[in-house]
Amino acid sequence: MTKLSHLDQLEAEAIYIIREVAALCENPVMLYSIGKDSSVMLHLALKAFYPENPPFPFLHIDTTWKFKEMIEFRDRRAKELGIEMLVHRNEDGVTQGINPFDHGASYTDIMKTEALKQGLDKYGFTAAFGGGRRDEEKSRAKERIFSFRNQQHAWDPKNQRPEMWKLYNTLVHKGESMRVFPLSNWTEKDIWQYIHREKIDIVPLYFAKERPVVYRDGNYVLVDDDRFRLEPSDQIEHKMVRFRTLGCYPLTGGLLSEATTLEEIIEETLGAVTSERTTRVIDQEAVGSMERRKREGYF
Amino acid sequence: MKKLLRFITCGNVDDGKSTLIGHLLYESKLLFADQEKALELDSKVGSRGGEIDYALLLDGLLAEREQGITIDVAYRYFTTDERSFIVADTPGHEEYTRNMAVGASFAELAILLVDATKGITVQTKRHARICALMGIRHIVVAVNKMDLVNFEQQRFEAIKRDFLTLATTLDFSTIQVIPVSATNGDNIITASAATPWYEELALLPYLEAINVEEDALATFTLPIQRVSRPNQDFRGFQGQIESGRIAVGDEIIALPSNERAIVKQILVTDRTEQEAVAGQPVTVQLSKEVDVSRGCVLTTDTTLTTAQKFTAHVLVLDTEPLVIGKNYLCKIGTQTIAGVITAITHKINIENGDLVAAESLQKNELAECTIALAEPVIMSTFNTHHTLGSFILIDRLTHMTAACGVIQNLEQTTSIFAQQTTVTAAIREAQKQQRALTLWFTGLSGAGKSTLANEVEKRLVLLGHHTMLLDGDNLRLGLNKNLAFDEASRSENNRRIAEVAKLLNEAGLITLAACISPLEQDRKQAQNIIGEAYIEIFISTPLTTCESRDTKGLYAKARQQEIEAFTGISSPYETPKKPHIIVDTTSLSIEQATDKIMRALASYL
């Protein structure tokens, strides 16, 4: 008797969820952030519907501060796979010159949370897949796989729909929506092992390479373009760094690493002593900042 | 190959279950360093003393930290060399039974925490019963705080005996009782020197070793999630195999159409395979065109069938009470269909299993109910088939998940609607959220019956009621136009109005009947026909007032004997002996009279 491995079980669960959304939700979309979790999501969507292409579009919320290599990767993958890739940015924010250097936390609110809500409203999506995992952050650990959002896209942690067996309740009224997290039960290790097993294409930034960086607050930050604000004390160094998570380059810390292959990354990750969100500056602001953002409509 | 085990922990608020999981994670040295750092920080914030509080690892949400208790289901992940684990930490206090049911529905095994100083409590019984209800077959009883009872074997054995007695009424395949101390770590990771008399596995090694595989010989079932049709040549049925296995060349039955076909191709995700097994997501192509869409099931099980009515154990999850006759959406497997609760057999006391009669069910209550669906769907008992035997009820207005349930028995009738008992008058009433009544307005001609019936109806409609007005005069233009005005004909007229009112009541409507009905025996007959729904409203306006109004000029004609047998003039009006409501319109405006009737009606509606 063939038994399913731990990764097979996680894959089956995610595909079941993705198919339920495609079958039951009126206008679904898959959020695509270009990171490794998004790469896994995209891969699962391709597998779930093979030989058909995924019966929904993908949406990237572009803060305009993503790593250049991410944007290149996004455009290349969309073209190779023939999938519909929508890109939305908060043009008001762009006009006002909102940036991570001057605007701190409100930068994330305006260019990510607000942009996401705009993007979802613009196309009238009733369900949006996200790559969130419960092992990432405490508030996510308690969120349902099908996470109900009201007309303001807000999450109410005290009033979540109970989720029984695989009987997901996908019903929403007009204007309300679902955020759906097929990777809820995956850990960072599972993601890397799955990428390895399935030979999933990921952004080269995950692999160590000599890159121009500045050392700030315990993180190596990539000098990705000439918008980078150099402080008088900053010194651009060339270091072998890789990134465990990818977001906006001024907010994403790189790690010193020699890991240039997936095997080496997994080796490093399995022995990791720092969980991945530490390299995202946003969570460090205050205990519970992620929960606040989620209540306001962030993923 | 490393396998996955999903388990839940349940116990009282103070039993220390969060501490237990925190300790498992911590001692397995699999905790990430920055979470550990955050934990120390949070512990200080949480003002539970300067020491690391393992429980805070699991009590994530801010609001909960303020309350100092776990209120929802928290999931945690850890891996050992032997196995990967997903832990659902579920709440221990009574109010949140539903969260525990959520955690239990996802798990293969449950750890029940029992405080060694307190023994088996009401909560332990509740949790064990919910685990059994949700289909958990494997139980570990962790008798915690053994350090507080000096690791006494007698104490442990007594608790173990108590639990095994409790479990005789519940359907578990394996039960392991382990003495532990979550704070000290006794028998958590390794055997404790403090319990030399316990010679079995410590908690973690036991979790690594236990086999929770389901029956490998089960027949093949594949509930269809979706039909994939990218082009004319491809028609694939997508879903996850719920039981058994299937190979290319096997013959399957497509339900509910009962057509047979041969499996032509199996895709396990994007790989072509010769066979597939339970748990795998597949896309199956068949040898010939069969009628299959979402909600259908491909199977080799010839006993699997459709049913339209079933009895089930139902757990209420929503704050809205569950009531007989209310319409829900019922999701079973991949099928979603309208359904209605037709009967509540009894409530089941979650603590002791006692059966209690009930009319409606509140949040966190468990009951045996009968549910009828709008159409037959493929289903099974929960014991035979977890996927086809479990369901949720969704409130059609709020879309909240109102209840979950497991099927106990199917009623296989070909058509439930041929049997009169299925959609009862009570169900139609409940659907309209009202009590069906007949407001029987009696009184002299010109007393104000039709006027007031009309006003009362308007008020009822404004209140959201569903109504129908029967006017004696109008009915004489249709249904009763073959009747004369002699006493026998008037009695027949009366009987027909009563019968129509009764039918309208059975349809769930509040019926207003305005007819003179002068004789006590006629009103008595109406009351017998209509039954308890009959409300007699006597418009007692005296003859002099009616005659002075004479809006239709009938009294004048009667006085001149142009009309025979006119009530009050040439034919008697017998004053009702015990009307429910009396209104004299002599000195009341229409509005005041209507107010008076509405006030009096309030207790009947």
Side-chain angles (χ1 to χ4, degrees):
Chain A
M1 163 117 194
T2 40
K3 291 179 179 174
L4 304 192
S5 73
H6 161 241
L7 283 180
D8 293 331
Q9 283 177 272
L10 291 174
E11 179 191 63
E13 179 184 64
I15 286 177
Y16 188 86
I17 292 161
I18 293 169
R19 285 175 173 172
E20 281 296 277
V21 170
L24 293 172
C25 297
E26 200 184 319
N27 188 15
V29 65
M30 186 170 275
L31 271 292
Y32 182 73
S33 72
I34 321 178
K36 64 183 191 310
D37 302 286
S38 277
S39 291
V40 168
M41 290 277 285
L42 169 57
H43 185 77
L44 288 166
L46 293 169
K47 288 187 88 170
F49 301 107
Y50 181 86
E52 205 181 335
N53 251 1
F56 42 73
F58 292 74
L59 174 64
H60 177 230
I61 300 302
D62 186 3
T63 61
T64 72
W65 289 92
K66 299 292 176 191
F67 292 88
K68 280 186 304 218
E69 282 182 70
M70 290 172 72
I71 303 299
E72 286 160 17
F73 181 84
R74 176 194 74 194
D75 295 342
R76 174 171 67 77
R77 288 297 282 159
K79 204 171 153 193
E80 282 169 2
L81 298 169
I83 54 171
E84 186 182 0
M85 179 68 68
L86 308 169
V87 177
H88 182 79
R89 55 172 74 175
N90 183 350
E91 295 298 347
D92 293 342
V94 174
T95 312
Q96 289 164 35
I98 303 296
N99 68 74
F101 297 101
D102 300 321
H103 302 97
S106 54
Y107 160 75
T108 306
D109 289 342
I110 296 166
M111 298 307 284
K112 280 181 147 175
T113 312
E114 194 49 41
L116 173 62
K117 291 197 245 177
Q118 283 177 359
L120 295 175
D121 287 343
K122 178 178 170 187
Y123 298 99
F125 292 122
T126 57
F129 291 106
R133 308 190 316 265
R134 285 170 178 159
D135 81 324
E136 269 182 289
E137 203 271 338
K138 281 182 183 178
S139 63
R140 276 188 182 158
K142 297 188 175 187
E143 191 168 7
R144 304 287 189 245
I145 292 171
F146 280 73
S147 182
F148 175 80
R149 300 302 166 98
N150 67 16
Q151 296 186 332
Q152 284 72 47
H153 300 276
W155 177 55
D156 179 359
K158 287 243 176 172
N159 193 24
Q160 303 193 76
R161 290 180 183 175
E163 219 154 64
M164 319 302 296
W165 300 289
K166 288 188 294 186
L167 295 166
Y168 303 110
N169 175 354
T170 58
L171 292 174
V172 291
H173 289 110
K174 199 168 164 52
E176 299 167 344
S177 62
M178 282 285 170
R179 303 283 171 91
V180 185
F181 302 101
L183 303 181
S184 286
N185 288 323
W186 297 49
T187 64
E188 188 183 12
K189 267 180 228 168
D190 300 327
I191 294 286
W192 283 118
Q193 286 175 344
Y194 189 71
I195 288 171
H196 183 250
R197 186 182 94 169
E198 301 283 311
K199 302 183 175 61
I200 297 171
D201 204 354
I202 54 172
V203 183
L205 289 161
Y206 285 110
F207 299 97
K209 190 181 150 186
E210 198 174 282
R211 297 184 164 100
V213 290
V214 165
Y215 190 70
R216 274 183 189 172
D217 305 327
N219 287 313
Y220 284 96
V221 181
L222 186 74
V223 183
D224 198 40
D225 58 34
D226 54 13
R227 293 180 297 172
F228 194 94
R229 300 266 181 86
L230 286 169
E231 304 291 331
S233 60
D234 282 342
Q235 283 223 302
I236 298 180
E237 302 172 83
H238 288 266
K239 294 271 186 191
M240 281 292 280
V241 291
R242 68 177 183 88
F243 295 86
R244 284 182 74 182
T245 63
L246 295 179
C248 302
Y249 78 82
L251 296 179
T252 308
L255 306 165
L256 289 182
S257 169
E258 298 293 324
T260 55
T261 65
L262 263 183
E263 288 80 358
E264 287 166 350
I265 290 173
I266 291 170
E267 185 61 33
E268 276 193 8
T269 306
L270 289 176
V273 290
T274 305
S275 80
E276 60 184 307
R277 275 197 171 267
T278 319
T279 56
R280 277 198 198 167
V281 186
I282 146 174
D283 286 346
Q284 308 271 310
E285 288 163 18
V287 174
S289 71
M290 181 59 94
E291 185 175 336
R292 177 183 67 81
R293 285 184 202 289
K294 286 179 80 68
R295 285 176 191 252
E296 290 168 2
Y298 184 58
F299 255 85
Chain B
M1 186 163 40
K2 198 179 281 186
K3 300 276 295 167
L4 186 64
L5 179 71
R6 299 160 190 257
F7 67 95
I8 66 162
T9 52
C10 21
N12 283 330
V13 179
D14 302 323
D15 288 342
K17 64 185 156 31
S18 296
T19 307
L20 181 86
I21 308 169
H23 213 126
L24 273 179
L25 296 170
Y26 194 82
E27 289 216 22
S28 303
K29 299 199 192 314
L30 290 155
L31 201 57
F32 288 123
D34 68 324
Q35 284 186 345
E36 204 174 326
K37 242 166 32 191
L39 179 67
E40 285 180 58
L41 180 76
D42 286 357
S43 284
K44 285 173 200 151
V45 173
S47 74
R48 296 194 196 183
E51 288 176 25
I52 291 179
D53 185 344
Y54 297 118
L56 283 176
L57 253 181
L58 300 170
D59 296 356
L61 295 186
L62 287 181
E64 295 177 29
R65 258 180 278 184
E66 285 154 17
Q67 287 182 14
I69 47 169
T70 312
I71 60 162
D72 205 17
V73 189
Y75 300 91
R76 290 287 144 171
Y77 305 83
F78 68 102
T79 305
T80 67
D81 290 341
E82 304 299 320
R83 204 165 203 169
S84 277
F85 297 94
I86 305 180
V87 194
D89 183 29
T90 62
H93 52 300
E94 193 169 358
E95 203 181 333
Y96 291 97
T97 298
R98 70 169 210 171
N99 292 329
M100 185 181 149
V102 171
S105 80
F106 135 108
E108 294 136 340
L109 177 145
I111 300 179
L112 291 178
L113 265 101
V114 174
D115 185 332
T117 64
K118 293 179 187 151
I120 305 293
T121 63
V122 164
Q123 293 289 351
T124 314
K125 292 175 185 172
R126 168 184 284 260
H127 295 152
R129 206 167 291 281
I130 295 171
C131 288
L133 173 77
M134 302 310 285
I136 293 182
R137 309 298 302 276
H138 306 278
I139 295 285
V140 172
V141 180
V143 180
N144 193 21
K145 304 191 185 177
M146 283 301 293
D147 49 325
L148 300 184
V149 296
N150 300 315
F151 295 98
E152 271 176 32
Q153 186 180 2
Q154 290 89 330
R155 180 71 191 141
F156 172 78
E157 294 295 342
I159 292 171
K160 182 174 174 175
R161 261 195 316 277
D162 287 350
F163 186 82
L164 293 178
T165 309
L166 165 68
T168 52
T169 58
L170 304 169
D171 190 20
F172 299 128
S173 323
T174 68
I175 298 172
Q176 180 73 15
V177 189
I178 307 177
V180 302
S181 165
T183 37
N184 299 350
D186 295 282
N187 290 326
I188 302 291
I189 311 296
T190 54
S192 168
T195 56
W197 40 266
Y198 177 76
E199 290 172 340
E200 292 161 73
L201 289 174
L203 180 62
L204 185 62
Y206 183 81
L207 296 177
E208 287 175 332
I210 187 167
N211 178 16
V212 294
E213 291 289 321
E214 290 297 320
D215 182 9
L217 300 172
T219 48
F220 167 75
T221 48
L222 172 64
I224 301 305
Q225 285 184 280
R226 185 174 178 275
V227 179
S228 175
R229 192 129 217 208
N231 58 58
Q232 286 300 308
D233 306 324
F234 189 94
R235 187 155 185 254
F237 304 115
Q238 300 184 322
Q240 183 173 327
I241 300 177
E242 293 299 341
S243 63
R245 56 173 56 228
I246 192 72
V248 172
D250 286 356
E251 187 187 60
I252 56 90
I253 308 163
L255 291 176
S257 71
N258 250 318
E259 293 169 275
R260 285 168 189 262
I262 305 293
V263 173
K264 188 173 82 181
Q265 187 201 27
I266 300 172
L267 286 167
V268 176
T269 70
D270 57 355
R271 298 185 312 275
T272 304
E273 300 278 1
Q274 283 309 299
E275 66 168 9
V277 299
Q280 290 186 312
V282 293
T283 302
V284 172
Q285 285 212 85
L286 299 177
S287 59
K288 61 172 190 174
E289 191 95 347
V290 289
D291 181 14
V292 174
S293 57
R294 179 179 166 89
C296 297
V297 176
L298 304 186
T299 185
T300 53
D301 183 352
T302 50
T303 64
L304 194 59
T305 178
T306 59
Q308 197 167 352
K309 195 176 180 187
F310 57 90
T311 57
H313 287 160
V314 172
L315 178 67
V316 183
L317 304 167
D318 198 11
T319 42
E320 281 288 305
L322 211 68
V323 291
I324 294 177
K326 187 166 170 186
N327 226 305
Y328 294 94
L329 285 174
C330 182
K331 187 170 183 188
I332 302 181
T334 57
Q335 307 154 102
T336 305
I337 186 122
V340 67
I341 295 175
T342 58
I344 299 173
T345 322
H346 45 242
K347 270 201 298 214
I348 301 166
N349 183 316
I350 300 181
E351 275 94 46
N352 56 25
D354 284 353
L355 309 179
V356 193
E359 290 287 307
S360 69
L361 302 169
Q362 306 298 321
K363 189 175 182 179
N364 291 323
E365 287 187 333
L366 175 66
E368 184 178 298
C369 298
T370 305
I371 295 174
L373 303 176
E375 283 173 42
V377 300
I378 304 143
M379 65 173 81
S380 169
T381 61
F382 187 62
N383 280 341
T384 333
H385 245 294
H386 275 200
T387 316
L388 295 173
S390 55
F391 61 90
I392 54 170
L393 298 178
I394 300 169
D395 189 300
R396 301 190 74 154
L397 288 179
T398 64
H399 291 166
M400 286 301 285
T401 304
C404 68
V406 296
I407 298 174
Q408 302 297 309
N409 278 303
L410 312 187
E411 283 186 30
Q412 279 151 345
T413 48
T414 45
S415 168
I416 55 159
F417 292 105
Q419 296 183 333
Q420 224 175 9
T421 52
T422 304
V423 177
T424 60
I427 291 170
R428 297 193 197 97
E429 279 181 306
Q431 198 180 30
K432 297 176 181 67
Q433 299 183 349
Q434 67 184 19
R435 198 179 145 204
L437 297 171
T438 292
L439 310 181
W440 191 275
F441 291 79
T442 175
L444 294 167
S445 177
K449 298 181 300 298
S450 294
T451 308
L452 286 175
N454 189 42
E455 289 302 313
V456 168
E457 185 179 29
K458 286 201 293 203
R459 297 275 189 97
L460 289 171
V461 168
L462 283 175
L463 291 173
H465 290 292
H466 300 260
T467 59
M468 180 63 194
L469 176 62
L470 299 176
D471 187 279
D473 288 348
N474 292 343
L475 287 175
R476 283 212 174 249
L477 302 174
L479 178 66
N480 295 341
K481 71 178 171 192
N482 58 340
L483 296 178
F485 288 89
D486 57 273
E487 193 172 312
S489 296
R490 293 182 72 168
S491 181
E492 172 61 12
N493 178 55
N494 216 67
R495 188 192 67 80
R496 289 187 192 179
I497 294 172
E499 288 287 356
V500 172
K502 180 194 170 200
L503 287 173
L504 294 173
N505 283 164
E506 283 177 354
L509 298 172
I510 295 176
T511 307
L512 302 95
C515 69
I516 300 171
S517 48
L519 302 180
E520 185 63 29
Q521 67 184 51
D522 291 341
R523 294 191 296 263
K524 196 80 206 159
Q525 183 188 45
Q527 183 163 19
N528 288 340
I529 291 167
I530 293 161
E532 284 181 14
Y534 179 86
I535 305 285
E536 195 170 279
I537 302 175
F538 175 33
I539 310 301
S540 64
T541 315
L543 180 64
T544 47
T545 314
C546 296
E547 191 168 356
S548 67
R549 286 178 187 161
D550 202 11
T551 41
K552 297 175 191 165
L554 295 174
Y555 282 95
K557 287 183 185 171
R559 288 288 178 199
Q560 287 160 24
Q561 295 178 355
E562 285 174 32
I563 304 176
E564 284 175 35
F566 191 81
T567 304
I569 309 294
S570 44
S571 161
Y573 181 86
E574 296 172 5
T575 305
K577 292 197 181 92
K578 267 181 141 181
H580 296 79
I581 301 168
I582 306 179
V583 182
D584 180 345
T585 63
T586 313
S587 54
L588 295 176
S589 68
I590 292 172
E591 198 181 344
Q592 287 168 327
T594 311
D595 285 346
K596 187 174 176 189
I597 295 172
M598 290 306 294
R599 274 198 302 275
L601 274 180
S603 59
Y604 300 105
L605 290 172

